[in-house]
Amino acid sequence: MEHALSPSTLAELRRPRPYPAVSVLTPTHRRQRGNGQDQVRLRNALTEARRRLESDPAVTRERRADVEAQLDRALAEVDLSHPEDGLVIFAAPGEHQVWSLARPVPERVVLSDTFLTRNLVSAHAAERPFWVLSLSADRVTLWNGGAGRVVEERWGGFPLTRARENFDAERLMRIGDQPSTFRDEGTRRFLREADTAMSRVLREAPRPLYLTGEQAALSLMEEAGTVARHAVPIRRGGLAHAGPEAVWQAVRPVLEEESRENAASVMRELTSARGRRAYAAGVDELWQSARDGRVRLLAVEEDYRTTVRETGDHLEPARPGDLDARDDIVDEIVERCLETGADVRFVPDGALGDADGIAGVLRY
């Protein structure tokens, strides 16, 4: 199952497909693993997708068989033994993808000529993904982080490894010791290779980067002169050979401090915007402003969700399951703001006070 959404991946997902491109969204339960409810809900959603395919006169028999086979393959790839908060399946003639999301999604089945991506985009923004590069003299490991976890990423040439050698045999024979491995030219060359590889990763998938390692390793990466300039160093060695939990515990305090600073910065900007009459709050006002491309900064509380119905130029509260109800309106606003160049920030629940979960700073 997929987790990391890069700009190139999103562009590929958004391109038009031969009809029908099927999007199946279903919530899952991270804290209730193994209770069978998620499996039943998923099978029901796929049954609904097949029913829609069979009843749509625009879908030929050959296309229907192709897409149904893709749905079957997608189902075989789903792993609900460790669910997150949402599951998205895309299927079209000749292709399928399965995405696990750390943000709830509505229960929906959509047939169109494009995949429904706004829930992926919103989950990606809320997750605040980051990279961790763990350094040692013989191994450099890349970790994909977000939503309270890190997982090792085997991409972009990582992990990089080299054989541990006797770096200076003559010196060892002469005076009985070895120089520091981080003063060895081979190690310097190895970390320069890591710097080059990480630069390519950041060009493909830009996101914040944290470097872990002994101080000597961090210093060598600074000398390499590229990725370390914009990375946050964490002086903690041994993580290139460690498991994901050890890496997560090393970066977690740094992330928590940055989250507090982020929330404080957002509140300062919103307070200033009130004084300039450039402030908007509430889902109805932000929905209209997002459609007009007026939002410069969007702030959303992490667990804020609401269900609405569109009535003319406004939104009204609705109940999930009501006719014409839209229970992913927050994700739609987030995606629209990102498309128009807004800075989207997620803040802790309750941080926005009387703004009812969502607020923004307007461009004009």
Side-chain angles (χ1 to χ4, degrees), residues 101-216:
L101 307 182
R103 183 171 170 85
V105 300
E107 196 161 14
R108 294 190 67 182
V109 175
V110 178
L111 274 63
S112 182
D113 58 358
T114 59
F115 292 138
L116 183 66
T117 61
R118 62 175 174 249
N119 303 95
L120 265 70
V121 172
S122 181
H124 181 72
E127 190 176 48
R128 296 189 290 272
F130 57 90
W131 297 117
V132 181
L133 196 64
S134 295
L135 311 172
S136 72
D138 63 338
R139 182 180 174 88
V140 178
T141 308
L142 179 63
W143 305 89
N144 183 354
R149 58 171 170 78
V150 297
V151 294
E152 185 175 351
E153 187 73 29
R154 296 183 176 272
W155 177 57
F158 292 102
L160 292 178
T161 59
R162 65 191 283 250
R164 293 300 297 267
E165 300 171 350
N166 181 356
F167 292 107
D168 192 343
E170 290 184 3
R171 177 187 173 97
L172 180 62
M173 292 177 62
R174 185 171 65 251
I175 61 176
D177 75 338
Q178 284 184 302
S180 166
T181 57
F182 292 106
R183 294 201 303 270
D184 177 77
E185 181 55 34
T187 302
R188 292 173 182 272
R189 196 162 47 243
F190 178 61
L191 292 184
R192 283 197 296 268
E193 292 173 5
D195 179 86
T196 300
M198 192 66 222
S199 296
R200 289 194 295 265
V201 169
L202 290 172
R203 283 195 296 271
E204 175 72 18
R207 60 174 72 173
L209 172 64
Y210 302 86
L211 293 176
T212 75
E214 299 177 26
Q215 183 57 53

Side-chain angles (χ1 to χ4, degrees), residues 49-304:
R50 292 186 179 92
R51 186 193 68 78
R52 298 262 194 101
L53 289 168
E54 290 173 2
S55 63
D56 191 334
V59 181
T60 66
R61 179 180 301 177
E62 292 77 15
R63 284 273 175 90
R64 183 174 72 245
D66 188 344
V67 175
E68 287 180 344
Q70 297 297 331
L71 290 171
D72 288 338
R73 294 188 184 104
L75 178 61
E77 294 176 12
V78 172
D79 178 11
L80 290 177
S81 60
H82 298 283
E84 295 187 275
D85 298 310
L87 186 68
V88 178
I89 291 176
F90 296 135
E95 63 174 319
H96 68 274
Q97 291 191 34
V98 180
W99 288 81
S100 178
L101 307 182
R103 183 171 170 85
V105 300
E107 196 161 14
R108 294 190 67 182
V109 175
V110 178
L111 274 63
S112 182
D113 58 358
T114 59
F115 292 138
L116 183 66
T117 61
R118 62 175 174 249
N119 303 95
L120 265 70
V121 172
S122 181
H124 181 72
E127 190 176 48
R128 296 189 290 272
F130 57 90
W131 297 117
V132 181
L133 196 64
S134 295
L135 311 172
S136 72
D138 63 338
R139 182 180 174 88
V140 178
T141 308
L142 179 63
W143 305 89
N144 183 354
R149 58 171 170 78
V150 297
V151 294
E152 185 175 351
E153 187 73 29
R154 296 183 176 272
W155 177 57
F158 292 102
L160 292 178
T161 59
R162 65 191 283 250
R164 293 300 297 267
E165 300 171 350
N166 181 356
F167 292 107
D168 192 343
E170 290 184 3
R171 177 187 173 97
L172 180 62
M173 292 177 62
R174 185 171 65 251
I175 61 176
D177 75 338
Q178 284 184 302
S180 166
T181 57
F182 292 106
R183 294 201 303 270
D184 177 77
E185 181 55 34
T187 302
R188 292 173 182 272
R189 196 162 47 243
F190 178 61
L191 292 184
R192 283 197 296 268
E193 292 173 5
D195 179 86
T196 300
M198 192 66 222
S199 296
R200 289 194 295 265
V201 169
L202 290 172
R203 283 195 296 271
E204 175 72 18
R207 60 174 72 173
L209 172 64
Y210 302 86
L211 293 176
T212 75
E214 299 177 26
Q215 183 57 53
L218 297 174
S219 297
L220 281 186
M221 285 296 285
E222 290 178 7
E223 290 178 16
T226 307
V227 299
R229 293 177 183 175
H230 307 290
V232 177
I234 299 175
R235 189 174 176 179
R236 175 77 177 273
L239 298 180
H241 295 272
E245 182 61 22
V247 177
W248 169 246
Q249 292 304 325
V251 300
R252 181 178 179 178
V254 178
L255 295 172
E256 290 176 345
E257 178 59 28
E258 289 181 346
S259 179
R260 288 189 290 269
E261 293 175 356
N262 171 64
S265 172
V266 167
M267 295 310 298
R268 287 193 296 270
E269 291 207 47
L270 292 174
T271 300
S272 175
R274 284 179 185 266
R276 303 192 314 271
R277 296 187 177 181
Y279 174 82
V283 68
D284 184 39
E285 191 173 356
L286 265 302
W287 177 64
Q288 296 185 59
S289 298
R291 289 192 302 172
D292 296 337
R294 296 179 59 205
V295 181
R296 181 180 66 79
L297 168 68
L298 180 71
V300 185
E301 292 182 357
E302 290 171 347
D303 294 323
Y304 177 60

Side-chain angles (χ1 to χ4, degrees), residues 28-46:
T28 51
H29 298 81
R30 183 192 300 258
R31 296 170 182 83
Q32 301 176 26
R33 297 173 179 171
N35 63 1
Q37 179 182 357
D38 292 341
Q39 190 69 42
V40 171
R41 179 172 283 174
L42 174 59
R43 289 189 177 278
N44 288 343
L46 292 174

